[in-house]
Amino acid sequence: MNILLIGSGGRENALAWKISQSAKCTKLFIAPGNAGTANYGTNVQLDPNNHDVVKDFLIKEKIDMVVVGPEEPLVKGLHDAILADEKTKHIPVIGPQKQGAALEGSKEFAKAFMMRHNIPTAQYKAFTPATLADGEKFLETLKAPYVLKADGLAAGKGVLIINDLDEAKSELRQMLSGKFGAASSTVVIEEYLSGIELSVFVLTDGKSYVILPEAKDYKRIGEGDTGLNTGGMGAVSPVPFAGAEFMKKVEERIVKPTVNGLQKDNIPYKGFIFIGLMNCDGEPMVIEYNVRMGDPETEVVMPRIESDIVDLFCAVADNRLNEKSIAVSNNTCCTVMMVAGGYPGSYNKGDLMTGFDKVKDSILFHAGTKLTSDGIVTNGGRVIAVSSLGANKDEALAKSYANVAHIEYNGRYFRRDIGKDLDKYYQK
Ligand code: AMP
Ligand code: GLY
């Protein structure tokens, strides 16, 4: 099969690595990819939001399947455009159509979906500029901290957690008057959930599903989970506080009602569902849905999957995922994300990277890198994820950190405490 993978980050590098191992994969293209994805296929420059250009490419290269990494092209209807064209509608797309992508594209839609299908989540109300005063009153009925969410996609910055009531009201006003553009013309205010977070991943054909390995990611820039939010600084899979009993609750209370809910609402859905969960004293609550895999979670999930991922994708395409199960390694996989100095604020691009030849026992998943005539240079805030498998977390982390030490570039930064918060959960 010829496969086109859309995206350019560490997630796509991990997907490309896994897809390229499939006996079913003849040719893999990555659009636009990065210096790492070029090891597993051919990088091509295609704007995923220019649907005509993508469709022409599908026809010209006789593509048999499209796998979409990020949410934006899905929310903007790439899958719908491929389906709407006689010449491309036979090509399966892994990633939902616009309607299903609204689970991530609109927080209000996602919350209403969860309420409709009795899926445990924080209580909420949605407000628009016309109901600003009601929003302020609603805040007064809640206890701090206050959780304000821009309805639409806001590049991961649309969620604010605020301790002070007056500040929360002021933020609500700013959001409704365009702080995040159209994305915050509706704002969801919800109850604060306290607990510990994890990411659960489901692959579905819209009827049946398989649950992929779960993971925990580390969102803050600073050690001890301090400082600004980032795209993710590291990840660990499996998650020790997500034992069989907890995961059973997740499956019965969240995964099944989600897939059944999509069917009841007549929403076709082929692709990944990433469920951001809070473990609140052993009870799972949904924080958010994403319609894609997580990044950097994919960099620890893919290495643990032993099944052929393209075989699973084909089953999704043909509505026979019910025939499949997924084989998962018992090993632990950890990844440490190396970032550019200054990230998530302003940072340099174009710094030469060295030390790749010294790396052993880890898998390098490039995030923001580019191949130039001088060699591989940094090309983003998150630069490269160093993933390792081990018999346990400490063994996996030791390999990753040993290899992180080999990779050099100006201003490199990484967190030294990935997975540390999990230590207490391993004790019997
Ligand atoms: P999101 O952009 O929806 O992933 O939200 C960003 C982060 O905000 C999440 O990963 C959580 O850490 C936090 N968060 C979102 N909603 C809540 C909530 N209701 N209670 C506590 N934390 C939340
Ligand atoms: N790691 C969280 C995300 O991909 O949204």
mmCIF file with all atom_site columns, all heavy atoms in Angstrom, residues 297-308:
data_model
loop_
_atom_site.group_PDB
_atom_site.id
_atom_site.type_symbol
_atom_site.label_atom_id
_atom_site.label_alt_id
_atom_site.label_comp_id
_atom_site.label_asym_id
_atom_site.label_entity_id
_atom_site.label_seq_id
_atom_site.pdbx_PDB_ins_code
_atom_site.Cartn_x
_atom_site.Cartn_y
_atom_site.Cartn_z
_atom_site.occupancy
_atom_site.B_iso_or_equiv
_atom_site.pdbx_formal_charge
_atom_site.auth_seq_id
_atom_site.auth_comp_id
_atom_site.auth_asym_id
_atom_site.auth_atom_id
_atom_site.pdbx_PDB_model_num
ATOM 1  N N   . GLU A 1 297 ? 2.812  11.560 23.754 1.00 0.00 ? 297 GLU A N   1
ATOM 2  C CA  . GLU A 1 297 ? 2.372  10.214 24.135 1.00 0.00 ? 297 GLU A CA  1
ATOM 3  C C   . GLU A 1 297 ? 2.610  9.182  23.026 1.00 0.00 ? 297 GLU A C   1
ATOM 4  O O   . GLU A 1 297 ? 2.936  8.028  23.307 1.00 0.00 ? 297 GLU A O   1
ATOM 5  C CB  . GLU A 1 297 ? 0.876  10.228 24.497 1.00 0.00 ? 297 GLU A CB  1
ATOM 6  C CG  . GLU A 1 297 ? 0.549  10.943 25.802 1.00 0.00 ? 297 GLU A CG  1
ATOM 7  C CD  . GLU A 1 297 ? 0.088  12.366 25.575 1.00 0.00 ? 297 GLU A CD  1
ATOM 8  O OE1 . GLU A 1 297 ? 0.602  13.023 24.645 1.00 0.00 ? 297 GLU A OE1 1
ATOM 9  O OE2 . GLU A 1 297 ? -0.795 12.828 26.326 1.00 0.00 ? 297 GLU A OE2 1
ATOM 10 N N   . THR A 1 298 ? 2.402  9.595  21.764 1.00 0.00 ? 298 THR A N   1
ATOM 11 C CA  . THR A 1 298 ? 2.599  8.645  20.657 1.00 0.00 ? 298 THR A CA  1
ATOM 12 C C   . THR A 1 298 ? 4.011  8.059  20.672 1.00 0.00 ? 298 THR A C   1
ATOM 13 O O   . THR A 1 298 ? 4.218  6.906  20.285 1.00 0.00 ? 298 THR A O   1
ATOM 14 C CB  . THR A 1 298 ? 2.355  9.359  19.302 1.00 0.00 ? 298 THR A CB  1
ATOM 15 O OG1 . THR A 1 298 ? 1.119  10.055 19.401 1.00 0.00 ? 298 THR A OG1 1
ATOM 16 C CG2 . THR A 1 298 ? 2.278  8.369  18.152 1.00 0.00 ? 298 THR A CG2 1
ATOM 17 N N   . GLU A 1 299 ? 4.959  8.858  21.152 1.00 0.00 ? 299 GLU A N   1
ATOM 18 C CA  . GLU A 1 299 ? 6.366  8.436  21.174 1.00 0.00 ? 299 GLU A CA  1
ATOM 19 C C   . GLU A 1 299 ? 6.621  7.359  22.231 1.00 0.00 ? 299 GLU A C   1
ATOM 20 O O   . GLU A 1 299 ? 7.704  6.775  22.257 1.00 0.00 ? 299 GLU A O   1
ATOM 21 C CB  . GLU A 1 299 ? 7.288  9.651  21.406 1.00 0.00 ? 299 GLU A CB  1
ATOM 22 C CG  . GLU A 1 299 ? 7.317  10.646 20.234 1.00 0.00 ? 299 GLU A CG  1
ATOM 23 C CD  . GLU A 1 299 ? 6.323  11.779 20.351 1.00 0.00 ? 299 GLU A CD  1
ATOM 24 O OE1 . GLU A 1 299 ? 5.123  11.492 20.540 1.00 0.00 ? 299 GLU A OE1 1
ATOM 25 O OE2 . GLU A 1 299 ? 6.714  12.957 20.259 1.00 0.00 ? 299 GLU A OE2 1
ATOM 26 N N   . VAL A 1 300 ? 5.644  7.121  23.140 1.00 0.00 ? 300 VAL A N   1
ATOM 27 C CA  . VAL A 1 300 ? 5.762  5.979  24.058 1.00 0.00 ? 300 VAL A CA  1
ATOM 28 C C   . VAL A 1 300 ? 4.707  4.902  23.778 1.00 0.00 ? 300 VAL A C   1
ATOM 29 O O   . VAL A 1 300 ? 4.873  3.756  24.192 1.00 0.00 ? 300 VAL A O   1
ATOM 30 C CB  . VAL A 1 300 ? 5.705  6.403  25.556 1.00 0.00 ? 300 VAL A CB  1
ATOM 31 C CG1 . VAL A 1 300 ? 6.921  7.241  25.907 1.00 0.00 ? 300 VAL A CG1 1
ATOM 32 C CG2 . VAL A 1 300 ? 4.419  7.140  25.909 1.00 0.00 ? 300 VAL A CG2 1
ATOM 33 N N   . VAL A 1 301 ? 3.654  5.284  23.095 1.00 0.00 ? 301 VAL A N   1
ATOM 34 C CA  . VAL A 1 301 ? 2.594  4.310  22.791 1.00 0.00 ? 301 VAL A CA  1
ATOM 35 C C   . VAL A 1 301 ? 3.018  3.412  21.615 1.00 0.00 ? 301 VAL A C   1
ATOM 36 O O   . VAL A 1 301 ? 2.914  2.181  21.689 1.00 0.00 ? 301 VAL A O   1
ATOM 37 C CB  . VAL A 1 301 ? 1.259  5.040  22.488 1.00 0.00 ? 301 VAL A CB  1
ATOM 38 C CG1 . VAL A 1 301 ? 0.230  4.079  21.914 1.00 0.00 ? 301 VAL A CG1 1
ATOM 39 C CG2 . VAL A 1 301 ? 0.723  5.714  23.753 1.00 0.00 ? 301 VAL A CG2 1
ATOM 40 N N   . MET A 1 302 ? 3.496  4.018  20.535 1.00 0.00 ? 302 MET A N   1
ATOM 41 C CA  . MET A 1 302 ? 3.839  3.213  19.342 1.00 0.00 ? 302 MET A CA  1
ATOM 42 C C   . MET A 1 302 ? 4.888  2.145  19.648 1.00 0.00 ? 302 MET A C   1
ATOM 43 O O   . MET A 1 302 ? 4.738  1.006  19.205 1.00 0.00 ? 302 MET A O   1
ATOM 44 C CB  . MET A 1 302 ? 4.291  4.099  18.166 1.00 0.00 ? 302 MET A CB  1
ATOM 45 C CG  . MET A 1 302 ? 3.170  4.887  17.524 1.00 0.00 ? 302 MET A CG  1
ATOM 46 S SD  . MET A 1 302 ? 1.845  3.810  16.909 1.00 0.00 ? 302 MET A SD  1
ATOM 47 C CE  . MET A 1 302 ? 0.415  4.779  17.370 1.00 0.00 ? 302 MET A CE  1
ATOM 48 N N   . PRO A 1 303 ? 5.959  2.467  20.406 1.00 0.00 ? 303 PRO A N   1
ATOM 49 C CA  . PRO A 1 303 ? 6.951  1.425  20.662 1.00 0.00 ? 303 PRO A CA  1
ATOM 50 C C   . PRO A 1 303 ? 6.405  0.239  21.453 1.00 0.00 ? 303 PRO A C   1
ATOM 51 O O   . PRO A 1 303 ? 6.980  -0.847 21.421 1.00 0.00 ? 303 PRO A O   1
ATOM 52 C CB  . PRO A 1 303 ? 8.047  2.163  21.462 1.00 0.00 ? 303 PRO A CB  1
ATOM 53 C CG  . PRO A 1 303 ? 7.927  3.580  21.022 1.00 0.00 ? 303 PRO A CG  1
ATOM 54 C CD  . PRO A 1 303 ? 6.446  3.784  20.841 1.00 0.00 ? 303 PRO A CD  1
ATOM 55 N N   . ARG A 1 304 ? 5.290  0.432  22.178 1.00 0.00 ? 304 ARG A N   1
ATOM 56 C CA  . ARG A 1 304 ? 4.739  -0.688 22.956 1.00 0.00 ? 304 ARG A CA  1
ATOM 57 C C   . ARG A 1 304 ? 3.743  -1.525 22.152 1.00 0.00 ? 304 ARG A C   1
ATOM 58 O O   . ARG A 1 304 ? 3.348  -2.605 22.594 1.00 0.00 ? 304 ARG A O   1
ATOM 59 C CB  . ARG A 1 304 ? 4.065  -0.167 24.231 1.00 0.00 ? 304 ARG A CB  1
ATOM 60 C CG  . ARG A 1 304 ? 5.083  0.343  25.260 1.00 0.00 ? 304 ARG A CG  1
ATOM 61 C CD  . ARG A 1 304 ? 4.437  0.587  26.606 1.00 0.00 ? 304 ARG A CD  1
ATOM 62 N NE  . ARG A 1 304 ? 3.888  -0.617 27.161 1.00 0.00 ? 304 ARG A NE  1
ATOM 63 C CZ  . ARG A 1 304 ? 2.700  -0.701 27.779 1.00 0.00 ? 304 ARG A CZ  1
ATOM 64 N NH1 . ARG A 1 304 ? 1.948  0.381  27.920 1.00 0.00 ? 304 ARG A NH1 1
ATOM 65 N NH2 . ARG A 1 304 ? 2.269  -1.851 28.254 1.00 0.00 ? 304 ARG A NH2 1
ATOM 66 N N   . ILE A 1 305 ? 3.326  -1.028 21.002 1.00 0.00 ? 305 ILE A N   1
ATOM 67 C CA  . ILE A 1 305 ? 2.350  -1.792 20.209 1.00 0.00 ? 305 ILE A CA  1
ATOM 68 C C   . ILE A 1 305 ? 3.099  -2.828 19.376 1.00 0.00 ? 305 ILE A C   1
ATOM 69 O O   . ILE A 1 305 ? 3.990  -2.481 18.602 1.00 0.00 ? 305 ILE A O   1
ATOM 70 C CB  . ILE A 1 305 ? 1.518  -0.850 19.306 1.00 0.00 ? 305 ILE A CB  1
ATOM 71 C CG1 . ILE A 1 305 ? 0.690  0.093  20.179 1.00 0.00 ? 305 ILE A CG1 1
ATOM 72 C CG2 . ILE A 1 305 ? 0.607  -1.660 18.377 1.00 0.00 ? 305 ILE A CG2 1
ATOM 73 C CD1 . ILE A 1 305 ? -0.161 1.076  19.401 1.00 0.00 ? 305 ILE A CD1 1
ATOM 74 N N   . GLU A 1 306 ? 2.731  -4.095 19.585 1.00 0.00 ? 306 GLU A N   1
ATOM 75 C CA  . GLU A 1 306 ? 3.402  -5.157 18.826 1.00 0.00 ? 306 GLU A CA  1
ATOM 76 C C   . GLU A 1 306 ? 2.643  -5.495 17.551 1.00 0.00 ? 306 GLU A C   1
ATOM 77 O O   . GLU A 1 306 ? 3.224  -5.999 16.599 1.00 0.00 ? 306 GLU A O   1
ATOM 78 C CB  . GLU A 1 306 ? 3.558  -6.405 19.715 1.00 0.00 ? 306 GLU A CB  1
ATOM 79 C CG  . GLU A 1 306 ? 4.608  -6.164 20.807 1.00 0.00 ? 306 GLU A CG  1
ATOM 80 C CD  . GLU A 1 306 ? 4.634  -7.218 21.892 1.00 0.00 ? 306 GLU A CD  1
ATOM 81 O OE1 . GLU A 1 306 ? 3.671  -8.010 21.997 1.00 0.00 ? 306 GLU A OE1 1
ATOM 82 O OE2 . GLU A 1 306 ? 5.633  -7.241 22.645 1.00 0.00 ? 306 GLU A OE2 1
ATOM 83 N N   . SER A 1 307 ? 1.361  -5.203 17.499 1.00 0.00 ? 307 SER A N   1
ATOM 84 C CA  . SER A 1 307 ? 0.569  -5.494 16.304 1.00 0.00 ? 307 SER A CA  1
ATOM 85 C C   . SER A 1 307 ? 0.996  -4.588 15.161 1.00 0.00 ? 307 SER A C   1
ATOM 86 O O   . SER A 1 307 ? 1.552  -3.516 15.377 1.00 0.00 ? 307 SER A O   1
ATOM 87 C CB  . SER A 1 307 ? -0.913 -5.236 16.576 1.00 0.00 ? 307 SER A CB  1
ATOM 88 O OG  . SER A 1 307 ? -1.326 -5.905 17.731 1.00 0.00 ? 307 SER A OG  1
ATOM 89 N N   . ASP A 1 308 ? 0.658  -5.045 13.955 1.00 0.00 ? 308 ASP A N   1
ATOM 90 C CA  . ASP A 1 308 ? 0.911  -4.256 12.745 1.00 0.00 ? 308 ASP A CA  1
ATOM 91 C C   . ASP A 1 308 ? -0.129 -3.121 12.707 1.00 0.00 ? 308 ASP A C   1
ATOM 92 O O   . ASP A 1 308 ? -1.333 -3.373 12.614 1.00 0.00 ? 308 ASP A O   1
ATOM 93 C CB  . ASP A 1 308 ? 0.756  -5.194 11.540 1.00 0.00 ? 308 ASP A CB  1
ATOM 94 C CG  . ASP A 1 308 ? 0.982  -4.496 10.213 1.00 0.00 ? 308 ASP A CG  1
ATOM 95 O OD1 . ASP A 1 308 ? 0.688  -3.281 10.108 1.00 0.00 ? 308 ASP A OD1 1
ATOM 96 O OD2 . ASP A 1 308 ? 1.430  -5.179 9.282  1.00 0.00 ? 308 ASP A OD2 1
#
